[in-house]
Amino acid sequence: MGAENSISPFVVKRLPRYYRYLGGLIDKGVTRVSSKELSEIMNVTASQIRQDFNQFGNFGQQGYGYNVQYLYDEVKKILGLVQHYSMIIVGAGNLGQALANYDNFTRRGFVCAAMFDSNAKKVGKKVNGIDIFHSNTLECYLEKNPTDIAVLAIPETQAQLVAQVLYRHNIKAIWNFSNTELEAPEGVCVENVHLMDSLMTLAFNVRKR
Amino acid sequence: MGAENSISPFVVKRLPRYYRYLGGLIDKGVTRVSSKELSEIMNVTASQIRQDFNQFGNFGQQGYGYNVQYLYDEVKKILGLVQHYSMIIVGAGNLGQALANYDNFTRRGFVCAAMFDSNAKKVGKKVNGIDIFHSNTLECYLEKNPTDIAVLAIPETQAQLVAQVLYRHNIKAIWNFSNTELEAPEGVCVENVHLMDSLMTLAFNVRKR
């Protein structure tokens, strides 16, 4: 693989934000942007922006700014959004259903092919066109359907057990909403979403004022 | 206010994680922890941990480690979790309901007092004991019920409009799930949760391997 192997994790965290803002500029018909303008919209320093973009190539010209569409396409490539990812959601509760209904994922190439739940009342229903299967068919499903990403929208008490099943079937990425840190074998990426952390950060910032 | 005014935003982002891990140690009956041990559990360098904790006081003793309960209580105080926050959720769709059902918030002092939705079919129902009111009663509610935090679980097309209503009624904090960056007046804290960013980061990390 190319340059992206050496990109720092901090830059990786910022890439989706760049992608979002550049997409917004394209929607507004903006074709060129300077690091200074981008820094004002994004609330990051201009030198930070130049440093970030320098990490994956030479995109800008001094005094001339960045070509918005080109930069957008490059960030998209680096993020791996030019390919499709097959996805399943384990847990068809409110959160699982909210995620299944989120059409932005599909638009970005994340295609949710199936949902799983242990509640028999939910099995056989559809959410946003996606079938809900019983959790006890998960292994059988994975044997027949190679899957890139599994979303865990289940309670923390079940998360590690389900994760073991996923690892056995060579899932390479877990998007974990289950409020616990998963132990993952080498080669599996886990992205934990800790909503509580975000709310606590907000509380801290409010109190400080 | 005290030391927390000078704490860097990067440390603030890490505080909820410390809080979570320290809570886990207490649950396991651990009373003392060294920065080295903590660094192994948390996957942060020991020197980073010492630096972070030094920012808000002198908690550790060289060669002796940190008192887990004391450190936990201090982080809790700094995060402002010793007080209660009144909260409302705007949007009673799947995501709003998932958040309303999340008992961890209540346990941490975030008390959700009401939900609002523009769908008349939902009005009058309860989620996890919380009443759903019609969105057109939001202003009236805020006049009578001082509220610290508003959660926006509504589509991006409605978010800025609802935010204007909230600002007029002196909401100080918005936890924004609406996939748009809100313009906020001075003095209002906005914490944006961009789920798509997190999924894109995962895609990047998978592809890299």
Side-chain angles (χ1 to χ4, degrees), chain A residues 8 14 19 28-29 64 84 132 172 189 191 193 205 208:
Chain A
S8 97
R14 279 193 290 272
Y19 184 68
K28 283 181 195 152
Y64 188 64
H84 279 71
I132 305 176
K172 285 287 164 285
C189 301
E191 175 85 8
V193 182
N205 287 324
K208 215 180 59 179

Side-chain angles (χ1 to χ4, degrees), chain A residues 52-67:
Chain A
D52 283 356
F53 290 163
N54 276 342
Q55 284 210 30
F56 40 85
N58 198 354
F59 290 148
Q61 246 174 288
Q62 191 76 39
Y64 188 64
Y66 297 102
N67 176 318

